Amino acid sequence: MWSYEKKLQYPVKIARPNPKLASIIISQYGGPDGELAASLRYLSQRFAMPYPELKALLTDIGTEELAHLEMIGSIVYQLTRNLNEKDIKEAGFDAYFVDHTTGIYPSSAAGVPFTAAYLQSKGDVLTDLHEDLAAEQKARTTYDNILRFCDDPDVKDPIKFLRQREIVHYQRFGEGLRIAQEKLNSKNFYAFNPSFDK
């Protein structure tokens, strides 16, 4: 189904390790509004999407989110490579290190492991598209929050790129919602469905 080009969507070249920063950026890997949840949400929702152009939209964005997951993993890895015991302790990275060393593990910044409970897939066109719009805004906000704590230009640059992609995805899902509303008619558009008036 996919053609995979073996390079990151946007370059990640971080010169200085910073485990403290890694411990908050990991949230975009496996946190509630992170890239893993986004990719699985959209790639799951597409099966029940009745409109081919919207199924294609979910596939496109879902696979791009996998590319973003790869970027976040690269950022976290580069921020935690070659650490010594003193760096780990001083950065408060010791709790993560004890469980995962410097392996990339899907969790939130609070240390909560990834869960499928982060996903929503209802099989209802309007519900799923509204969920997707909200998800992109929550991811953008998380990137905004990460940027508040980041002063390394090597890290800020790819994070800003990822933040911008959330905005683009939000816009594309907005276009998708308009397409869906045009295709729905009074028999299946919930706001006008007479079966709910009984």
Side-chain angles (χ1 to χ4, degrees), residues 27-66:
S27 215
Q28 279 302 83
Y29 193 82
D33 305 310
E35 304 294 355
L36 180 58
S39 62
L40 292 175
R41 177 185 306 109
Y42 307 148
L43 293 174
S44 296
Q45 288 175 352
R46 71 194 173 108
F47 291 105
M49 180 57 67
Y51 308 121
E53 60 270 47
L54 299 182
K55 188 176 288 207
L57 176 67
L58 288 164
T59 302
D60 289 349
I61 295 176
T63 53
E64 185 178 349
E65 301 290 10
L66 290 172

Side-chain angles (χ1 to χ4, degrees), residues 5 7 26 31 43 46 64 70 90 104 106 110 112 116 123 178:
E5 191 173 346
K7 69 176 189 176
I26 195 71
L43 293 174
R46 71 194 173 108
E64 185 178 349
E70 188 174 29
E90 286 180 357
I104 308 304
V112 177
R178 283 188 292 281

Side-chain angles (χ1 to χ4, degrees), residues 8-194:
L8 294 178
Q9 187 181 13
Y10 191 88
V12 174
K13 291 182 174 40
I14 299 168
R16 292 179 293 133
N18 184 336
K20 183 100 175 149
L21 190 53
S23 69
I24 62 170
I25 292 174
I26 195 71
S27 215
Q28 279 302 83
Y29 193 82
D33 305 310
E35 304 294 355
L36 180 58
S39 62
L40 292 175
R41 177 185 306 109
Y42 307 148
L43 293 174
S44 296
Q45 288 175 352
R46 71 194 173 108
F47 291 105
M49 180 57 67
Y51 308 121
E53 60 270 47
L54 299 182
K55 188 176 288 207
L57 176 67
L58 288 164
T59 302
D60 289 349
I61 295 176
T63 53
E64 185 178 349
E65 301 290 10
L66 290 172
H68 296 173
L69 182 71
E70 188 174 29
M71 283 180 64
I72 293 294
S74 296
I75 291 168
V76 171
Y77 171 74
Q78 290 180 29
L79 286 170
T80 59
R81 69 181 183 273
N82 303 322
L83 296 177
N84 60 44
E85 194 173 311
K86 182 178 177 231
D87 295 333
I88 292 166
K89 284 182 184 175
E90 286 180 357
F93 194 67
D94 46 350
Y96 183 96
F97 186 86
V98 166
D99 289 338
H100 311 293
T101 317
T102 56
I104 308 304
Y105 180 77
S107 67
S108 71
V112 177
F114 178 81
T115 171
Y118 295 155
L119 313 180
Q120 287 298 327
S121 181
K122 287 286 192 188
D124 178 89
V125 176
L126 296 177
T127 302
D128 283 348
L129 288 171
H130 280 283
E131 170 66 27
D132 301 342
L133 286 160
E136 293 298 326
Q137 287 301 313
K138 290 186 283 184
R140 183 211 30 93
T141 301
T142 303
Y143 281 124
D144 286 344
N145 292 339
I146 288 168
L147 287 167
R148 287 181 171 91
F149 293 101
C150 183
D151 59 2
D152 184 340
D154 290 348
V155 180
K156 284 179 90 165
D157 193 39
I159 294 295
K160 285 180 178 179
F161 168 82
L162 290 165
R163 180 192 180 280
Q164 182 59 35
R165 295 307 299 162
E166 304 300 343
I167 294 167
V168 170
H169 293 168
Y170 177 81
Q171 292 167 337
R172 292 197 59 208
F173 281 129
E175 293 162 7
L177 182 60
R178 283 188 292 281
I179 291 168
Q181 288 171 330
E182 288 170 7
K183 290 181 176 287
L184 293 169
N185 60 41
S186 61
K187 291 183 182 174
N188 61 10
F189 185 33
Y190 75 91
F192 305 106
N193 193 325

